[in-house]
Amino acid sequence: MDTILTRCDLTGGGPKYRAVTLAIRDAIAAAELSEGDKLPPVRELAWKLGITPGTVARAYSILTDEGVLLAEVGRGTFVAGPLAPVASIKWNRSHTAEDTDQVSLFSPKLPDVGQVTLIRDAFARLSDRPAADLLNYPTSKAFAPARRAVLRWLDGSVLGRVDEQDIVLSHGGQSAISMVMQAVLKGARPVVMVEELSYPGFRRAAELMRAAVVSVPMDEHGIVPSALEKIARKHDAQLLCTSPEVHNPTGLCTPAWRREEVAAVARRTGFHVLEDDCYRLGRAIAPSYRSYLPEQGWHISSFSKCLTPSLRVGFAVAPEPHRATLRRTAEHGFFGLACPLAQVTEDILTRDETYELMDNVRAMFGRYVRSAVNALGGYDLRWHEDVPYLWLTLPEGWRASTFVQAAEAEGVQLRNADEFALRNGSAPHAVRLAINAHVSLGSFEAAMGRLRALLDNPPERIAV
């Protein structure tokens, strides 16, 4: 108890329950509390701290939801152990998941399992760089260490032969998509192909290039090769944009045999393939299109979805014959990243702690995914513990737009399948649920319960 009392700062002006959770986390991180240690009873700790028992109970509940503590009926509350030991990383004091009734599931929200401290430390180390680094334009030679660091980040991808000269840094994955389109597309009205449900950023980038966008049918394995070939020949398409590893929005993974069939179509018809691999959290399931198409395959990634979106850093990996074109596109467009941003990227991606943190991010997202599956698994739900969103096909009789409105009235915001279809296309009655680890697991579970109640008891105006 003395450890918690010493560390608990109730003078900061924030919620008192948060101060208690931070004190316990810090004590565990400092090994002052070890796995299996019993915490004091709620009323006893509340009396010592001079706060209400409900405040302590809320702190214990939050940490239990996060897996930090373990509550056993009749025995008490014990330390379950940290998510995973991470060298030189401390829990950040300002990014505790919050309890709330308003839960946005629009886009994945990352938990802070130490990356905030990692990033702050990287910027602190940046101040020790030579003064000349802050006085010159960026150069390709100066960015070589950052590109080599990206090679380590991409180690889980099967990309074929690749070296740092094939990599161009960008302002996030969306910027990388735009760069590839600028490097590939030719003519007044080029044609870009996308999956019939696909990341809207493909369409937006193509529109900036004055390209026409056409959709390609999918089945349970991804793009249908026979349909792809017909559409590619009909429109003389120049580029296919796809997310075969973690499809956005459905979460399906295209198996290697289907990728080989798609690659064979690309070789016969000559179009390039842009693979967006930004959402994958673990190792790749199958080889990238770049490995199948060494002269036509482009690979896009970033650490926005699995480390932090705030830095806006992405990477484009060009096929070797086109890497000079991609580099010119970046240099002529924006001279490359700012030198400090490239140097911070190099710092972060070369540290072992970064990759240990990724294990913690996956573990935390996995808890939220399992919570959603526990609540909604009786319905048509596509999910994977390493994917930060789920795809829910609504039962017959529901309309996606009305379900989204009903969910929002219950404090839960979702994305309608219509947002991932072309404007003149059709979409199934389905919704995407992104994992939001900015809210406590308890709040997330409550939101899943409200969605389950809607599905189980549709209002008469929805059940047609």
Side-chain angles (χ1 to χ4, degrees), residues 140 144 147 151 162-168 318 323-324 327:
S140 177
R147 294 196 298 269
L151 283 175
V162 60
D163 63 40
E164 55 95 359
Q165 291 292 326
D166 300 324
I167 296 170
V168 173
R323 65 187 188 185
R327 196 166 306 285

Side-chain angles (χ1 to χ4, degrees), residues 93-338:
R93 286 184 169 269
S94 60
H95 285 76
T96 303
E98 295 185 349
D99 289 333
T100 176
D101 292 331
Q102 301 297 314
V103 179
S104 172
L105 305 181
F106 277 166
S107 299
K109 302 290 187 181
L110 288 163
D112 175 18
V113 295
Q115 65 267 45
V116 170
T117 299
L118 181 77
I119 294 166
R120 285 174 172 165
D121 288 348
F123 275 103
R125 288 186 289 268
L126 182 65
S127 65
D128 294 328
R129 294 268 188 165
D133 288 353
L134 300 176
L135 295 173
N136 295 312
Y137 278 106
T139 66
S140 177
K141 182 178 179 180
F143 280 1
R147 294 196 298 269
R148 286 193 290 271
V150 170
L151 283 175
R152 180 179 180 183
W153 177 265
L154 295 172
D155 183 58
S157 304
V158 182
L159 298 172
R161 180 180 175 181
V162 60
D163 63 40
E164 55 95 359
Q165 291 292 326
D166 300 324
I167 296 170
V168 173
L169 302 178
S170 63
H171 292 287
Q174 183 65 25
S175 172
I177 291 169
S178 294
M179 284 197 307
V180 171
M181 288 188 180
Q182 291 176 60
V184 169
L185 299 180
K186 311 295 181 186
R189 189 65 168 166
V191 173
V192 172
M193 299 178 291
V194 299
E195 292 140 331
E196 59 186 354
L197 293 175
S198 60
Y199 168 54
F202 291 151
R203 179 178 70 247
R204 294 165 187 155
E207 289 171 349
L208 289 175
M209 291 294 296
R210 297 182 175 84
V213 181
V214 297
S215 63
V216 181
M218 300 170 61
D219 61 17
E220 68 274 17
H221 302 298
I223 291 170
V224 178
S226 58
L228 173 66
E229 184 155 7
K230 290 179 182 178
I231 291 169
R233 294 188 184 281
K234 176 181 178 180
H235 297 281
D236 193 21
Q238 298 181 24
L239 180 67
L240 168 66
C241 296
T242 180
S243 304
E245 195 66 34
V246 178
H247 179 255
N248 186 11
T250 68
L252 69 80
C253 177
T254 299
W257 61 268
R258 173 59 63 84
R259 298 187 202 196
E260 292 174 358
E261 293 178 352
V262 169
V265 173
R267 283 191 290 269
R268 288 195 296 270
T269 57
F271 60 78
H272 290 245
V273 178
L274 184 161
E275 177 175 340
D276 182 349
D277 191 29
C278 289
Y279 272 111
R280 177 169 54 85
L281 297 178
R283 296 190 68 84
I285 302 300
S288 167
Y289 280 114
R290 189 182 182 278
S291 67
Y292 293 118
L293 299 165
E295 297 186 355
Q296 299 160 252
W298 305 72
H299 193 87
I300 301 299
S301 185
S302 78
F303 51 63
S304 293
K305 304 300 189 298
C306 44
L307 190 63
T308 175
S310 66
L311 296 182
R312 303 305 305 135
V313 175
F315 338 106
V317 187
E320 194 278 334
H322 300 281
R323 65 187 188 185
T325 301
L326 183 64
R327 196 166 306 285
R328 280 196 306 272
T329 299
E331 291 170 353
H332 295 176
F334 57 94
F335 288 113
L337 293 187

